[in-house]
Amino acid sequence: MARRENSEINAGSMADIAFLLLIFFLVTTTMDVDSGISRKLPEKSEDTPEVTIKEKNVLDITVNRNNQILIEGTDFIQVSDLRKIAMDFIDNGGGLSAPKGDKPGEACDYCQGAKDPASSDHPSKAIISLQSDRGTSYGMYVSIQNEIEAAYNDLRNRLALQKYKVSYKEMLKEYNDNGGEKLKAKIDLLKDSYPQIISEPEPIK
């Protein structure tokens, strides 16, 4: 009886299969994308005048390596409490009309805060200082930044509704879609009324 010879395996299609598998994995594999905070950095100024800042015009926020938030070095708070604390500080309007020869704070006629003389004088003078630890998680840092920015936006929304019967958020969307000098002037006024002033010292080692 004749011996049957083994037939050769056709490997010509193996390259095609490997190529298809490569494409499949490239399409279905997810890759980590670097995330960050969108923020416009201030332009460099050649002549920076020396400014005396009152301690009461600075809200100190410190985040330790355990992601605990400390306000004014004394009180631990939750992230959910931060927006209201920031709004109360920015909108305090504690500056009083200046008697002759004195220069206390500038009066804020649109502020609705407690007008506590021990807190910020005016939104244009209110500075939020955020200092983190090198061990602070990125997620916590972003959450705090979001709450601070939301505090400013909420105050601008309130003022926009009072003055123009439309929210600041809607005005921004309208301007981004259609532009317009008059609308830009209104938006700039709201930003000037509640300027976002945030100081970020070097992280704690």
Side-chain angles (χ1 to χ4, degrees):
M1 185 174 180
R3 182 181 297 177
R4 182 181 298 175
E5 295 183 358
N6 292 331
S7 60
E8 294 183 358
I9 299 175
N10 184 7
S13 62
M14 294 296 289
D16 295 334
I17 295 173
F19 183 69
L20 289 173
L21 287 173
L22 178 62
I23 293 176
F24 173 77
F25 286 119
L26 285 174
V27 171
T28 58
T29 302
T30 59
M31 298 183 180
D32 292 333
V33 179
D34 291 338
S35 59
I37 303 172
S38 176
R39 175 165 297 172
K40 184 178 179 181
L41 296 176
E43 295 180 2
K44 183 179 179 181
S45 176
E46 296 297 332
D47 299 321
T48 304
E50 291 187 7
V51 179
T52 302
I53 300 173
K54 297 179 183 177
E55 187 176 347
K56 69 174 185 174
N57 283 326
V58 180
L59 177 65
D60 285 314
I61 303 172
T62 307
V63 195
N64 63 21
R65 63 179 60 251
N66 297 320
N67 292 332
Q68 295 173 312
I69 306 171
L70 189 64
I71 295 291
E72 298 294 350
T74 57
D75 301 321
F76 284 101
I77 65 163
Q78 301 297 319
V79 179
S80 56
D81 302 325
L82 186 55
R83 186 183 307 191
K84 184 179 186 311
I85 291 172
M87 288 178 67
D88 291 344
F89 170 75
I90 298 164
D91 196 45
N92 179 64
L96 305 174
S97 299
K100 287 185 178 180
D102 290 330
K103 294 182 180 178
E106 178 186 349
C108 178
D109 57 1
Y110 55 86
C111 291
Q112 298 181 18
K115 301 193 185 311
D116 182 0
S119 188
S120 70
D121 289 326
H122 194 275
S124 64
K125 294 181 173 65
I127 301 171
I128 295 181
S129 174
L130 173 59
Q131 186 171 37
S132 60
D133 189 283
R134 292 194 184 277
T136 302
S137 71
Y138 184 74
M140 173 58 72
Y141 183 79
V142 171
S143 297
I144 293 171
Q145 287 278 1
N146 287 341
E147 289 302 309
I148 293 173
E149 186 169 352
Y152 282 103
N153 287 334
D154 285 355
L155 290 170
R156 292 170 182 171
N157 275 328
R158 189 188 69 192
L159 185 60
L161 289 169
Q162 290 174 354
K163 293 179 71 67
Y164 309 119
K165 309 302 180 187
V166 61
S167 72
Y168 173 72
K169 182 178 179 181
E170 292 172 325
M171 292 171 71
L172 280 178
K173 185 178 184 304
E174 175 68 21
Y175 179 73
N176 291 331
D177 291 343
N178 304 314
E181 290 301 317
K182 289 185 178 179
L183 188 56
K184 182 179 184 303
K186 292 178 180 179
I187 291 172
D188 288 343
L189 187 146
L190 294 170
K191 288 182 177 179
D192 290 341
S193 298
Y194 289 107
Q196 188 168 308
I197 310 173
I198 302 175
S199 169
E200 298 185 34
E202 285 291 323
I204 303 169
K205 294 182 180 180

